[in-house]
């Protein structure tokens, strides 16, 4: 394991000596810190649980510890480990990764030796809000174990910026008293990293005039859309929804945060504006990220799509929009005709259009960053020629934002800009330029492909990911490519790449990329593969985001150990990671080339992210200074009120009528809860009210409150879904059959309005497809069914407690024995459910007279033998008796003739 750096060992020691929450700057190695703690507790003598890690992260931690030669590696608890062996599994000790659902159930059923737990490590601690499962686990742990530690880690300071006293609430849920803040500007971090600074070359690439004009247009339209949005929804007059934030990545989350609670009440105009903001942000990203052809393709697909045109909130008709289209087309082609005014306007006459289309001259403006990258690689190559004193040529790592950018760079480096863009143009806008009609048809086809997903851009663009070696062989490379500089033929290079793949990176995915692929084959390159280019020196292109393994880049960095890193796209976390990487290898040179468009939204996005994090830390520092933390916060004795399980207020007066106010002996209340329900926060709230929970797998119902009361819980989305697919009907049938008081609980989200139907969709006519109509039908079908409406889980927990008062406790064995097809009826086992259902379907028989009939008649065979008078006597109604008698005894022919005579 890499030796901890100065500031890291200080954080480690602080946290080791006293539990707390560590908030670290992004990229400063919170994972290294957690690894150090895991390493410390990887031994059978201790039992440490790790919360909030995903499978990819667990894999990474286990791999790292294995490479360090740790013997007792962390283990995972999954569903495969049976319930009876679970206790044994925990008592073997060491570090254990487990999902929160499994842990909650194990704590409640005492399958985990709570008193033997050494402690709990919580990763991504900013997510621990009161209602989440992890908070419930920590509360159960503290109730049963007062000695163990709780240490929490997070590198997301910005998350603490929302809401009132967010960090204090999180600390309360974590049962920790100490808050450790380690921003990048912390004096220890700053002074240490200053000593080991990598050599940084910042290259501010200037955008082409057309790109600048397009950027200005998009920003104007974005601004107009934001203004409209605020005009329609005055409540959104908040500083978060500014243009500066609109270009940043977290903007989608911000806008959802404000609009989600009232989304179902918003008009179509607001919804389409939100969609437009998304499209415009995608355009901004495409402008700096990809080439001119890809950008134009996305634009044309938006314009062509009738749907986008029809429902669009009007931004396509702004002047800025026209200027954007003109400039985007000018980057790709210019029309040789004198009638230049046709360029901007969309002419409806196809013959004029065809005439113009035929006379296109391709301009295919190259991406300015590509040229800068070429210069950088040339410089690196020259340095590598005389690098004997550094111990041979250094490896190169090029980082771009995502897979598509990486695939584009790879093809650009191999084939050159002109060849690449020409291929892309032919692929996207029709192969045969001479036949105008074919071109237009092709273009329409491409557009129609794009219509499906205007926000993510047309499918056709995936074609860029083809790395076909056939094409590479046939290409005459017009401009000098880097390969020619290095002086190798493509074939040699390809063979070397194969060798390098097997030797250096041992990645099975690589060799697949380079094999011959048919021309139109859409390759979706696996996201964590390296786009290797040459072996000598080893040059690798890797995406910054979109990998299924979040640590893919960290692994590449430590496996390849590059001397030169080229940041084609800036990303804050990785920049910091490079600083740490340099500091952990003192004496070894590292040069970072930072390519960024000067004065672009890309630069602004990076600076905003930096500023946001700095402000978040400053706010946390202020909060920490004024924070009042009670002595008993850690819950190591009985004085912490958060651990007390009783919902009765202290002011409740005793009732003197009952035995002169003597204390009544109270029975411990229990509720049986279905295992699947532990995804919601309700079990945690019921437990907090002092009611014990028995988690079992139930086939009928979600909660069994008493032997008679069975509850099926539905959230609004659940309710609508199960009403539509008929699942709710079968659930209610089972509940009504086996329990005297079946209940349907409809639970609303506390953040949204307490209404089933939005105000806007109340019509004069009630359709049979409405939710309300279906619910009405349900209550008519099941007269015993009761419906509870709850505005939030807190209200539900309170309601459950009231429903349980003065009733016997349910039995888990009995509840588990009730299955949808079991024949035993708990309440009235003298009737057979099959014939009973059959009987209820007959004319003249209803829920009221069904019982009377079953008491008098043994079977359906006996029912057939009864006369009309006898039936009238039993049913107590002559009309019902006639209906039933006719139904049984009338032949088909007679029934038809009767029907005719009635007409």
């Amino acid at each position: 394991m890499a030796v901890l750096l100065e500031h890291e060992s200080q954080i480690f020691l602080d946290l080791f000596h006293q539990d707390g929450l560590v908030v670290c700057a992004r990229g400063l190695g919170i994972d290294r810190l957690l690894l150090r703690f895991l390493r410390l507790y990887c031994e059978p003598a201790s039992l440490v649980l790790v919360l909030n890690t995903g499978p990819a992260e667990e894999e990474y931690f286990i791999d790292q510890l294995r490479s360090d030669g740790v013997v007792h590696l962390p283990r995972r608890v999954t569903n495969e480990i049976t319930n009876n062996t679970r206790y044994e599994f925990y008592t073997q000790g060491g570090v254990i990764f487990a999902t929160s659902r499994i842990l909650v159930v194990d704590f409640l059923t005492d399958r985990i030796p709570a008193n033997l737990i050494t402690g709990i490590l919580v990763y991504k601690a900013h997510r621990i809000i009161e209602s989440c499962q992890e908070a419930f686990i920590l509360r159960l742990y503290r109730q049963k174990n007062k000695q163990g530690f709780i240490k929490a880690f997070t590198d997301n300071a910005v998350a603490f910026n929302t809401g009132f006293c967010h960090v204090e609430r999180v600390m309360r849920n974590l049962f920790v008293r100490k808050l450790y803040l380690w921003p990048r500007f912390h004096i220890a971090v700053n002074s240490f990293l200053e000593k080991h600074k990598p050599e940084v070359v910042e290259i501010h690439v200037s955008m082409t005039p057309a790109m600048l004009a397009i950027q200005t247009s998009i920003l104007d339209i974005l601004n107009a859309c934001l203004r409209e949005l605020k005009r329609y929804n005055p409540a959104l007059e908040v500083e978060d929804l500014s243009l500066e934030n609109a270009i940043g990545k977290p903007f989608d989350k911000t806008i959802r945060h404000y609009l989600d609670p009232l989304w179902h009440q918003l008009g179509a105009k607001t919804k389409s504006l939100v969609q437009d903001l998304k499209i415009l942000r995608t355009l901004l990203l495409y402008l700096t990220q990809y080439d001119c052809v890809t950008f134009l393709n996305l634009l044309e697909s938006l314009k062509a799509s009738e749907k986008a045109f029809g429902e669009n909130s009007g931004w396509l008709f702004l002047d800025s929009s026209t200027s954007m289209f003109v400039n985007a087309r000018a980057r790709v082609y210019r029309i040789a005709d004198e009638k230049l005014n046709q360029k901007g306007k969309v002419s409806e006459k196809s013959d004029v259009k065809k005439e113009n289309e035929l006379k296109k001259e391709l301009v295919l403006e190259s991406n300015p960053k590509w040229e800068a990258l070429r210069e950088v690689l040339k410089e690196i190559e020259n340095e590598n020629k005389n690098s004997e004193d550094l111990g041979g040529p250094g490896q190169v790592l090029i980082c771009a934002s995502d897979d598509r950018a990486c695939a584009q760079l790879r093809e650009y480096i191999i084939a050159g800009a002109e060849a690449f863009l020409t291929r892309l143009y032919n692929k996207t806008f029709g192969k045969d330029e001479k036949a105008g009609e074919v071109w237009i048809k092709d273009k329409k086809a491409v557009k129609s492909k794009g219509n499906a997903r205007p926000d993510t851009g047309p499918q056709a663009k995936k074609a860029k990911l083809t790395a076909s070696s056939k094409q590479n062989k046939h290409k005459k490379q017009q401009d000098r490519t880097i390969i020619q500089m290095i002086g190798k033929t493509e074939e040699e290079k390809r063979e070397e790449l194969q060798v390098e793949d097997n030797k250096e990176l041992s990645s099975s995915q690589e060799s697949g990329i380079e094999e011959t692929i048919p021309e139109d084959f859409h390759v979706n390159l696996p996201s964590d593969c390296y786009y290797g280019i040459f072996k000598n020196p080893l040059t690798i292109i890797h995406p910054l985001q979109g990998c299924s393994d979040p640590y893919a880049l960290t692994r590449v960095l430590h496996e390849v150990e590059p001397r030169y890193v080229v940041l084609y796209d800036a990303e804050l976390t990785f920049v910091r990671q490079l600083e740490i990487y340099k500091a952990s290898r003192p004496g070894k040179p590292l040069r970072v080339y930072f390519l960024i468009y000067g004065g672009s939204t890309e630069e602004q996005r990076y600076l905003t992210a930096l500023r946001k994090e700095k402000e978040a830390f400053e706010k946390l520092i202020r909060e920490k200074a004024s924070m009042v933390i009670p002595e008993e916060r850690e819950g190591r004795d009985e004085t912490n009120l958060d651990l007390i399980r009783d919902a009765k207020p202290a002011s409740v007066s005793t009732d003197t009528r009952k035995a002169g106010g003597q204390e009544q002996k109270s029975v411990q209340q229990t509720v049986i809860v279905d295992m699947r329900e532990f995804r919601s926060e309700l079990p945690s709230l019921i437990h907090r009210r002092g009611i014990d929970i028995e988690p079992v797998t139930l086939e009928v119902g979600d909660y069994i409150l008493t032997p008679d009361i069975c509850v099926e819980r539905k959230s609004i989305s659940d309710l609508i879904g199960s009403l539509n697919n008929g699942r709710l009907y079968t659930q209610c049938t089972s509940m009504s059959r086996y329990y005297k008081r079946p209940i349907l609980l409809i639970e609303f989200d506390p953040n949204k309005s307490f209404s089933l139907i939005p105000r806007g969709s109340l019509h004069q006519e009630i359709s049979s497809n409405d939710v309300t109509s279906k619910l009405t039908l349900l209550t008519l079908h099941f007269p015993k069914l009761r419906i509870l409406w709850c505005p939030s889980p807190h209200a539900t927990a309170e309601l459950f407690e009231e429903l349980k008062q003065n009733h016997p406790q349910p039995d888990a064995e009995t509840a588990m024995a009730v299955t949808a097809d079991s024949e035993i009826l708990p309440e009235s086992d003298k009737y057979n459910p099959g014939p009973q259902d059959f009987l209820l379907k007959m004319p003249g028989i209803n829920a009221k007279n069904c019982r009377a009939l079953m008491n008098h008649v043994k079977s359906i065979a006996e029912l057939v033998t009864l006369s009309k008078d006898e039936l009238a006597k039993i049913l107590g109604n002559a009309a019902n008796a006639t209906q039933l008698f006719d139904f049984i005894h009338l032949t088909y022919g007679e029934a038809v003739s009767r029907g005719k005579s009635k007409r």
Side-chain angles (χ1 to χ4, degrees), residues 7 32 131 155 167 188 208 232 320 385 416 468 496 520 546 618 633 663 693 713 756 796 805 809 841:
H7 62 276
R32 288 162 59 101
S131 58
D155 61 353
V167 70
T208 62
Y232 282 107
S320 305
K385 279 179 183 162
S468 155
E496 286 198 24
D520 286 331
E618 283 167 354
R633 164 64 54 81
E663 190 125 332
I693 289 175
R713 188 186 71 95
L756 194 60
T796 312
Q805 272 172 12
Q809 303 311 314
K841 299 275 191 297

Side-chain angles (χ1 to χ4, degrees), residues 254-299:
T254 312
I255 204 157
R256 215 176 302 138
H257 171 74
Y258 286 110
L259 290 179
D260 239 9
L262 43 141
W263 184 255
H264 59 301
Q265 297 172 0
L266 296 177
K269 185 78 176 163
T270 308
K271 287 182 180 176
S272 84
L273 276 168
V274 172
Q275 186 60 25
D276 289 340
L277 285 173
K278 196 172 178 184
I279 290 172
L280 288 164
R281 285 158 42 85
T282 309
L283 281 172
L284 260 185
L285 204 67
Y286 272 52
L287 179 65
T288 51
Q289 209 84 71
Y290 309 124
D291 56 277
C292 54
V293 180
T294 308
F295 182 76
L296 181 66
N297 190 11
L298 177 63
L299 258 190

Side-chain angles (χ1 to χ4, degrees), residues 316-497:
L316 275 179
F317 306 111
L318 296 173
D319 292 344
S320 305
S321 163
T322 315
S323 131
M324 172 165 70
F325 274 93
V326 170
N327 282 302
R329 288 180 187 140
R331 289 177 69 202
V332 180
Y333 56 75
R334 82 171 157 263
I335 296 166
D337 207 318
E338 283 72 60
K339 299 179 203 161
L340 282 172
N341 60 343
Q342 288 290 337
K343 193 163 52 170
K345 297 172 189 166
V346 179
S347 160
E348 290 306 315
K349 295 174 192 164
S350 55
D351 52 342
V352 179
K353 198 168 180 184
K354 238 180 267 177
E355 218 172 62
N356 283 352
E357 306 284 24
L358 293 176
K359 296 178 180 168
K360 279 183 179 165
E361 285 177 23
L362 292 187
V363 179
L364 297 179
E365 177 182 277
S366 171
N367 207 334
K369 262 196 194 179
W370 291 353
E371 302 305 321
L373 179 66
R374 159 151 305 171
E375 294 295 314
V376 165
L377 289 177
K378 203 170 171 184
E379 183 184 316
I380 291 173
E381 195 219 336
N382 289 336
E383 279 198 16
N384 273 337
K385 279 179 183 162
N386 355 314
S387 60
E388 272 64 52
D389 51 337
L390 290 172
Q395 326 274 38
V396 185
L397 174 64
I398 304 171
C399 290
S401 65
D402 56 14
D403 276 334
R404 182 183 287 162
C406 290
Q408 285 200 355
L409 287 183
R410 181 176 185 283
E411 189 162 349
Y412 162 73
I413 291 170
I414 291 173
E418 202 170 321
F420 168 46
L421 288 172
T422 313
R423 180 186 79 72
L424 200 52
Y425 181 81
N426 291 339
K427 187 93 185 167
T428 315
F429 290 116
K431 296 209 166 54
D432 191 359
E433 280 284 42
K434 292 185 187 71
E437 285 170 33
V438 178
W439 194 85
I440 287 167
K441 269 185 211 159
D442 230 323
K443 189 167 177 206
K444 279 180 185 157
V446 169
K447 284 175 183 174
S448 63
K449 270 189 188 176
N451 293 351
R453 300 167 41 189
D455 51 340
T456 53
Q459 293 290 310
K461 282 174 293 187
K462 287 224 172 119
K464 260 180 274 135
L465 296 184
T466 53
S468 155
S469 31
K470 267 194 211 161
Q471 286 170 325
N472 290 345
K473 280 180 201 166
H474 295 319
K475 266 179 205 149
K476 300 281 178 283
Q477 295 168 343
Q478 287 92 337
D479 52 356
R480 249 171 102 239
T481 67
I482 292 169
I483 290 158
Q484 288 169 335
M485 295 176 197
I486 294 177
K488 282 189 180 154
T489 67
E490 292 226 308
E491 271 69 29
E492 280 173 20
K493 177 192 72 60
R494 191 164 289 107
E495 282 157 22
E496 286 198 24
L497 182 65

Side-chain angles (χ1 to χ4, degrees), residues 100-102 104-105 108 131-133 136 671-686 693-698 700-705 711-715 718 727 731 745 747 793 796 800:
S100 49
R101 226 171 99 205
I102 289 178
V104 166
V105 173
L108 288 170
S131 58
C132 73
Q133 291 298 327
F136 187 20
V671 169
I672 295 166
V673 182
D674 183 38
M675 291 283 196
R676 291 170 287 259
E677 276 300 301
F678 283 96
R679 289 193 189 98
S680 74
E681 60 176 303
L682 186 54
S684 148
L685 296 171
I686 295 173
I693 289 175
E694 276 197 60
V696 293
T697 307
L698 295 176
V700 176
D702 291 330
Y703 296 85
I704 312 292
L705 305 186
V711 181
E712 179 68 42
R713 188 186 71 95
K714 295 280 178 205
S715 62
D718 251 7
R727 210 172 94 242
Q731 286 173 333
L745 165 76
E747 196 173 84
T796 312
F800 277 7

Side-chain angles (χ1 to χ4, degrees), residues 824-858:
I824 313 146
L825 287 160
E827 45 140 349
S828 56
D829 35 16
K830 59 182 180 185
Y831 302 125
N832 197 349
Q836 187 178 344
D837 287 348
F838 181 69
L839 203 58
L840 278 166
K841 299 275 191 297
M842 289 185 175
I845 292 183
N846 52 37
K848 288 172 184 163
N849 58 25
C850 177
R851 273 294 148 90
L853 187 67
M854 288 193 296
N855 285 339
H856 283 88
V857 184
K858 281 202 172 112

